[in-house]
Amino acid sequence: MKFPSPPPAGAPSAPGLPSALQRLGSLTHSLYRAAHSEGLRSFDALLFSQLQDALPFDAAWMGHSTLTPSGPVMHSNVLHQLAPDYVASWEAVQDLDPLVHQAIGQPGLPVVLRANDSALAPAFAAFLRRFGIAQVLCTTSLDSTLQTCLHLSLYRSDNTAGFDHAEAYLVAAAMPNLASAVAMNRMRAVERLQSGHSAPRSGAAVTSVKGLIQHADPAFGDFMLSEWPQWRGG
């Protein structure tokens, strides 16, 4: 189920939207502060804790990927209350996951999926049941420079309390700020490592174990282009 874009200023608000906006303000304020002060692991844990203060969910998955014609290629994953084999299990059925095309095809637009939807492929529905997932709220943020995608999937194990419009709007509005806070936190970690270096000018980037550039400062991009003028990120 796709949700429409948030209503324009002056339009009637969705039920619960004012409260969701207040939670959004609190969430983004906390994330930006934590991005500068927390280490990578502690920031990720705090991110999910702050999200749960804004709206209830039972588990979550945040992942960085490169988008290819055959689907996303995952490079880093942060799991919350999910088994360690969750991503590997998802990769075995990702071709059957309707969220891949919906969430990536319309970045920033929240999409809700229910495990009891009769339109789901049986193998994908079985995957959701295996991990106790009844509902999914997913949205994405694309980095056009690095050609990467950050996605956030929130899961509920109860079918009776569905993700509503206000919650969907909250996640959609928070996603660009969340992506920025994650990037800030990663680059802050690099800055700490660089603090003892005396190089007159340097660029820094955070990469995955597979070599994907996930976050980079402007100087790094300049250096890459000076060596490889045809470089287009990633």
Side-chain angles (χ1 to χ4, degrees):
M1 175 173 60
K2 299 182 206 177
F3 288 94
S5 300
S13 62
L17 191 55
S19 174
L21 291 175
Q22 290 180 344
R23 285 177 283 161
L24 172 65
S26 176
L27 171 64
T28 54
H29 175 71
S30 298
L31 287 181
Y32 279 123
R33 289 188 63 184
H36 289 280
S37 61
E38 300 291 332
L40 271 64
R41 293 184 183 277
S42 60
F43 173 79
D44 292 342
L46 184 63
L47 182 151
F48 289 123
S49 174
Q50 295 289 341
L51 277 172
Q52 282 186 312
D53 286 343
L55 77 163
F57 58 89
D58 300 305
W61 173 25
M62 182 174 66
H64 245 118
S65 63
T66 298
L67 303 182
T68 71
S70 58
V73 177
M74 301 307 305
H75 292 278
S76 69
N77 301 281
V78 183
L79 301 177
H80 175 71
Q81 299 298 321
L82 288 168
D85 65 337
Y86 179 82
V87 176
S89 299
W90 173 83
E91 288 176 335
V93 295
Q94 67 171 301
D95 291 343
L96 306 174
D97 186 350
L99 292 175
V100 170
H101 303 290
Q102 294 178 20
I104 292 176
Q106 295 178 293
L109 190 68
V111 182
V112 168
L113 178 149
R114 288 178 177 268
N116 61 2
D117 186 342
S118 60
L120 290 180
F124 187 72
F127 157 77
L128 294 175
R129 290 195 299 271
R130 175 188 167 193
F131 289 95
I133 296 171
Q135 300 177 61
V136 185
L137 170 58
C138 179
T139 191
T140 58
S141 177
L142 301 186
D143 186 322
S144 58
T145 300
L146 298 179
Q147 296 297 306
T148 58
C149 173
L150 180 72
H151 84 264
L152 175 67
S153 293
L154 305 180
Y155 306 114
R156 284 179 178 168
S157 57
D158 186 355
N159 247 327
T160 58
F163 287 106
D164 60 28
H165 280 68
E167 290 172 329
Y169 288 140
L170 186 153
V171 173
M175 194 62 189
N177 295 280
L178 186 151
S180 294
V182 169
M184 285 181 184
N185 176 253
R186 274 43 175 175
M187 294 310 301
R188 183 74 181 105
V190 173
E191 289 170 3
R192 292 190 187 101
L193 293 175
Q194 283 188 310
S195 60
H197 295 181
S198 58
R201 183 167 181 260
S202 62
V206 177
T207 72
S208 73
V209 294
K210 297 179 181 179
L212 172 77
I213 299 170
Q214 296 178 327
H215 308 286
D217 63 18
F220 183 89
D222 291 343
F223 285 133
M224 290 292 286
L225 288 171
S226 69
E227 295 291 334
W228 296 281
Q230 303 305 314
W231 181 67
R232 291 295 180 269

